[in-house]
Structures are given as C-alpha cells and as structure tokens.
Amino acid sequence: MSTMGEGTRAVRAGLPEPQQYEPTLPGPVFAAHFHLSGEPTGPYTYGRDTNPTWTHLERAIGELEAPGEGVHTTVFASGMAAISAVLLSQVRSGDAVVLPDDGYQALPLLRAQLEAYGVEVRTAPTRGDAQLAVLEGAKLLWIETPSNPGLDVCDVRRLVEAAHAGGTLVAVDNTLATPLGQRPLELGADFSVASDTKGMTGHGDLLLGHVTCRDADLAAGVRRWRKVVGAIPGPMEAWLAHRSLATLELRIERQCANALALAEALRAHPDVTGLRYPGLATDASYPTAVEQMRRFGSVVSFVLADRETAERFLSALHLAEDATSFGGVRSTAERRARWGGDAVPEGFIRFSVGAENASDLVADVEQALAEATGGN
Ligand SMILES: *Cc1c(COP(=O)(O)O)cnc(C)c1O
C-alpha cells in the first residue's frame, strides 16, 4: 500500500479482508462485554479495553500516518483525551515538559494540571523554533505546527534532532495538517497526536482523537492510560470517523485549494491586515512549511479593523456560519478573541475553509467585507 496514491489509500484504509455476505466496512459493534469463556485472553473481552470498530479505525489511521509500516494507533473520545494521554502517561513528578505558548487554547488548563502533579512546564513560541532554547533536560517536547490559531510553523526535523540528542521525547499535534498534510513520524517525532474532531473526520458531527507511535512500549503506556481513565470513543463515533476517512483526500484537496484561493483574494484587499496562510508563498511560515508539509491546511486567518467590523463581517457571510472548530466541509468563521486566552487582536478572524466552490466562497467573503467596511 505504501506506493499507492493517497486517495487510493484513504478509500481503502483499515478495511478488513472481504468476506462473503459481509459489508465492506463492518458496522459499529455495540458491546459492553463479549462472550468470553475460560481464560480472559483474546482480542475482545470488555468494552473499555477493546472494540472491533476501534480496531478497524486504528488500522486505517495507522495506514495514513505511516504508510507501509506497522505502527500503533490508539483512538480516544476527543483530541484532548489523546493529548492528555500522551502527557500524563509519559511524565512523572519532577520531570520537565516543553509546551508551545501559542498552542491550542486548552493547553494552559493541562499546564495547570501538570504543575499540580509536580511537573515543571516551560513554554516558548512556535515561530523561529524558539522551543529549542528551553529544551535542556526535558522529558517531553510538545509541538503544534501549524499552530492554532496563529498559523506559525516550526521545523519539526530540527526540533526532533535537538530533542533526541538530549533524550527528550517529541510529540506533534497534527490536528490542523492531518496525515495528508504532514506525517510527524516520518519527520522523526515519537508521537503523532490529533483531534480528529476537525479535518480528519470533516463533518462537524463528532468528537474523536488519536495517538500514533512506532514504539510498542510508548504505545502500551498510552493504551494503558485510556483504560485507566476510560476516555474511550463510542462505537458509533468510531464507525462514522472511519466512514469519513474514505473522503479524506477529496475533502482535503478541495479545502486546501479553496484556502489558497481565499488567501490570494484577501492578499489584495485593502481592509485586511495580518493575513496568514502557510501555503501562501509570501507567508512567513511558507519556507519551513514547504520543507515538511505536502498540503497546508484549510485555515486562513486575518485581521479586520476592530471588533465591530469583524462582527459585521461574520453576520454578512452567507456561506460561512459563525462557529468555532475547523476543518469541516462547510465553511465556518469566528472572531477568535471572543474566547479570551489567545494572543490575538479584537478583529482577528479564523476562517475555516470548506468544500464549497472557490468562486462562490471568494465572492461571498468579498461581499461580506464590503458590507462590513462600508462598501469600498
Ligand atoms: C480542537 C483541537 C484540540 C482538541 O480537540 P477536541 O477534539 O476538541 O478535544 C487539540 N489541538 C488542536 C490543535 C485543536 O484544534
């Protein structure tokens, strides 16, 4: 499978061998327990430990994260469950951890939890590989690239090389890129982690997360953590996610092309400042992004004059709803400062580009900008 195109791999990922009279993708298995006589061995015993619907999905994600390799994937109830599983299963009291200071907005909550457990937490920005400066002696380095919502990019290979030289493990939050955008394990990371709530499943109808790693011991720690805290996905969510992966390449191709088209249209717009899209050749992230990414994601960010202009813009859009999250087939946009916590201006817009036709989307954004800024 490793030499096949990504669309081919996506439509077949994780499918079991064909069986007469069975569906191509077996339906969700709803079970708290499984028939089990005698010694409790075998793959399926109790529903908090294992479920055949997860097994299929975990194989599928593994085939996308590291084509042709036998990797270990563990699916979780959400992205935060996956992130917490890596950090809390790997670090001990007295260890040091390096986080980005511009990462996902729930990381500060996790930081407080780690500190309460006696872990030293250091932070530095994603841009300029600034985490290198605070790496010494750390147990684990957490990278988020492109960062959310700032869309800065760091050099994963360079950070991994420095981290491994000092015995530091590296985890990459790959939510924004998806494995079709970049493959952290191939860049040398120990863990590829994601919220599959976003582009990976792409329909805005479920929460899910995963952790993939090569090392069996690291994987066992993550899996044990899932069993301990019970942060397990429901079989229905796991099955919907697997079904959604079949269209991953179609969706990501269209959404990334649309994101670039929107970024190019906004570049020339007089009322837009602070435009960011890692796939735009003029973007500060581009030189590093192009070395490690194959597609640049579906999120474009920019700044309008002030809060009121941003709110007028959002309500004037017809094809993008005002909602958080990103990566879905229907465009959404939000004024990010409404949440607090992110270091962004009041007029900062995070635009998640969907799978509409680019010309419709660009026209809608242009009319909404005209409406918001008084029609110039
Ligand atoms: C959404 C998100 C998460 C958290 O995922 P949930 O599925 O909401 O728990 C983590 N990291 C990034 C980069 C995200 O965008």
Side-chain angles (χ1 to χ4, degrees):
M1 288 287 275
S2 60
T3 56
M4 283 183 185
E6 292 185 303
T8 311
R9 222 176 318 116
V11 298
R12 303 203 60 83
L15 296 181
E17 286 299 313
Q19 284 200 33
Q20 186 80 320
Y21 312 127
E22 291 295 326
T24 306
L25 176 64
V29 174
F30 298 101
H33 54 83
F34 300 85
H35 288 298
L36 183 70
S37 55
E39 289 303 305
T41 55
Y44 303 109
T45 54
Y46 184 63
R48 180 163 30 76
D49 294 345
T50 44
N51 177 293
T53 311
W54 306 345
T55 307
H56 293 134
L57 176 63
E58 287 171 344
R59 279 193 197 129
I61 294 173
E63 286 169 21
L64 298 170
E65 287 276 9
E69 288 185 56
V71 289
H72 308 273
T73 297
T74 308
V75 289
F76 285 88
S78 68
M80 280 312 295
I83 292 171
S84 300
V86 172
L87 283 162
L88 297 172
S89 71
Q90 299 304 320
V91 307
R92 307 278 176 275
S93 171
D95 286 343
V97 167
V98 177
L99 300 180
D101 68 8
D102 51 356
Y104 183 62
Q105 60 174 358
L107 284 186
L109 298 173
L110 197 49
R111 173 188 188 149
Q113 195 62 54
L114 286 164
E115 286 173 343
Y117 290 154
V119 174
E120 180 199 344
V121 179
R122 306 171 191 160
T123 63
T126 298
R127 77 178 161 276
D129 303 336
Q131 289 173 304
L132 283 174
V134 292
L135 208 52
E136 188 161 349
K139 178 74 198 290
L140 193 142
L141 165 65
W142 191 271
I143 293 173
E144 188 179 311
T145 181
S147 62
N148 171 28
L151 301 178
D152 281 321
V153 164
C154 58
D155 182 339
V156 178
R157 290 187 194 89
R158 182 175 177 221
L159 285 159
V160 164
E161 200 179 312
H164 285 176
T168 304
L169 292 167
V170 181
V172 176
D173 183 331
N174 203 36
T175 301
L176 200 139
T178 83
L180 266 55
Q182 76 191 352
R183 293 200 289 260
L185 299 185
E186 287 178 3
L187 300 171
D190 301 287
F191 302 93
S192 179
V193 187
S195 166
D196 300 321
T197 309
K198 314 290 171 57
M200 192 74 156
T201 58
H203 292 71
D205 52 9
L206 60 88
L207 284 101
L208 200 87
H210 79 266
V211 177
T212 301
C213 44
R214 287 201 174 98
D215 184 275
D217 292 336
L218 295 180
V222 167
R223 209 162 260 267
R224 189 179 334 107
W225 182 264
R226 181 177 69 181
K227 176 174 172 146
V228 170
V229 300
I232 57 168
M236 191 67 199
E237 281 75 10
W239 183 81
L240 277 171
H242 198 161
R243 184 184 195 270
S244 303
L245 286 184
T247 55
L248 181 66
E249 199 246 12
L250 283 171
R251 291 185 280 109
I252 298 287
E253 275 287 313
R254 170 69 79 93
Q255 289 177 241
C256 292
N258 282 358
L260 183 61
L262 179 62
E264 276 168 351
L266 290 174
R267 192 154 56 129
H269 205 285
D271 297 308
V272 168
T273 59
L275 174 69
R276 297 300 307 269
Y277 181 62
L280 204 55
T282 49
D283 192 274
S285 290
Y286 185 78
T288 307
V290 81
E291 294 295 323
Q292 64 194 18
M293 301 182 77
R294 298 184 318 289
R295 298 178 180 86
F296 303 96
S298 59
V299 179
V300 174
S301 66
F302 53 94
V303 181
L304 299 179
D306 49 30
R307 175 182 177 150
E308 291 67 35
T309 310
E311 280 171 359
R312 279 198 304 274
F313 168 72
L314 292 171
S315 34
L317 288 166
H318 301 301
L319 296 180
E321 268 132 38
D322 189 346
T324 195
S325 200
F326 60 85
V329 289
R330 297 171 200 92
S331 290
T332 57
E334 72 170 334
R335 197 179 67 80
R336 193 62 188 171
R338 65 179 172 175
W339 295 98
D342 293 321
V344 294
E346 285 293 326
F348 181 100
I349 302 285
R350 185 178 72 178
F351 202 107
S352 170
V353 183
E356 299 86 0
N357 290 112
S359 53
D360 293 334
L361 201 58
V362 169
D364 190 41
V365 167
E366 280 173 348
Q367 70 76 27
L369 281 171
E371 176 86 22
T373 59
N376 52 13

